[in-house]
Amino acid sequence: NAGVTQTPKFRVLKTGQSMTLLCAQDMNHEYMYWYRQDPGMGLRLIHYSVGEGTTAKGEVPDGYNVSRLKKQNFLLGLESAAPSQTSVYFCASSPLQGGWHGETQYFGPGTRLLVL
Amino acid sequence: ELKVEQNPLFLSMQEGKNYTIYCNYSTTSDRLYWYRQDPGKSLESLFVLLSNGAVKQEGRLMASLDTKARLSTLHITAAVHDLSATYFCAVGGGADGLTFGKGTHLIIQP
């Protein structure tokens, strides 16, 4: 069981470039999430998905798009990167019950993104 | 809008001492999570608290939840250096994701 994996681990972009971050989970979880972590800010939810083919906006969705074409994968896209998107991005997943029976969210290792 | 506040945000303490981290949240929730993060690493789940009065303990860490006061505490007993990390509380879960506090950066010195 690999759990939650993220690709790439680190990336440097120039302003205006685009890229896609890939998240994969092998736990058959229904729910998947993308967060960003900035110094002193904790983690903030960007987008989330409650199942294959569904996505929804979180707290800070501007400048990002997502897709969940397969249950195990959740992609985060930056169409035109900006320096304000320099951050560490974490993907997470959780089972359908979503915590009511004690389930937690499982986090990936993170992707460090630097936008110059 | 749900808000989660932790205090203190920074804590330096000596080994062997006890201390408590506080987590207040602004709207009703029956699920509260505690995570640990080491520098440059991902988040590790510590506790999931599901109901009022819930108390969970793991080693030198004990977490409790008072839903009426909208308060959770993470108590550290006889701190050791290995507990140095950043601790986050988070509220919510399920389909809507988690709302995190800003984290408590804990340094435990010999």
Side-chain angles (χ1 to χ4, degrees):
Chain A
N1 249 359
V4 181
T5 58
Q6 293 182 233
T7 309
K9 289 184 171 52
F10 177 72
R11 184 76 182 267
V12 179
L13 288 179
K14 295 181 179 179
T15 297
Q17 287 185 318
S18 63
M19 78 164 294
T20 300
L21 282 68
L22 171 64
C23 175
Q25 53 95 4
D26 61 2
M27 296 175 282
N28 201 35
H29 285 168
E30 290 293 330
Y31 300 159
M32 296 186 75
Y33 315 86
W34 277 106
Y35 295 89
R36 61 177 287 173
Q37 183 178 28
D38 302 296
M41 294 294 293
L43 279 78
R44 292 180 292 169
L45 184 65
I46 305 172
H47 285 280
Y48 61 97
S49 169
V50 300
E52 182 178 320
T54 72
T55 63
K57 294 180 179 180
E59 179 186 356
V60 289
D62 294 342
Y64 305 95
N65 56 75
V66 288
S67 64
R68 184 122 179 248
L69 299 179
K70 294 182 179 181
K71 184 178 182 178
Q72 63 268 33
N73 295 338
F74 196 27
L75 278 64
L76 177 71
L78 287 72
E79 289 188 349
S80 179
S84 61
Q85 294 177 304
T86 293
S87 188
V88 180
Y89 292 87
F90 287 100
C91 176
S93 71
S94 71
L96 184 61
Q97 296 88 345
W100 290 114
H101 298 283
E103 301 85 3
T104 187
Q105 285 189 14
Y106 297 86
F107 284 81
T111 295
R112 294 181 179 276
L113 177 63
L114 175 62
V115 183
L116 302 175
Chain B
E1 180 190 351
L2 174 59
K3 292 186 178 180
V4 181
E5 292 187 355
Q6 285 182 240
N7 68 83
L9 297 182
F10 181 81
L11 178 58
S12 179
M13 56 191 293
Q14 289 183 316
E15 281 191 325
K17 300 291 187 181
N18 303 333
Y19 210 81
T20 300
I21 299 170
Y22 298 89
C23 175
N24 289 92
Y25 52 98
S26 60
T27 62
T28 302
S29 177
D30 291 328
R31 291 171 290 172
L32 189 130
Y33 305 75
W34 284 97
Y35 287 90
R36 168 182 173 150
Q37 186 180 40
D38 293 306
K41 302 295 185 181
S42 186
L43 279 76
E44 173 191 355
S45 178
L46 294 174
F47 302 108
V48 181
L49 302 171
L50 296 179
S51 60
N52 187 43
V55 177
K56 289 193 174 180
Q57 183 165 5
E58 181 73 32
R60 300 174 187 274
L61 300 178
M62 183 175 71
S64 65
L65 178 62
D66 181 345
T67 58
K68 295 179 181 178
R70 299 176 187 166
L71 171 69
S72 180
T73 60
L74 181 66
H75 186 73
I76 303 158
T77 301
V80 293
H81 177 70
D82 286 351
L83 291 178
S84 297
T86 298
Y87 293 86
F88 291 95
C89 66
V91 178
D96 295 337
L98 296 174
T99 300
F100 283 82
K102 292 184 177 181
T104 296
H105 184 52
L106 175 63
I107 296 177
I108 299 170
Q109 299 175 339

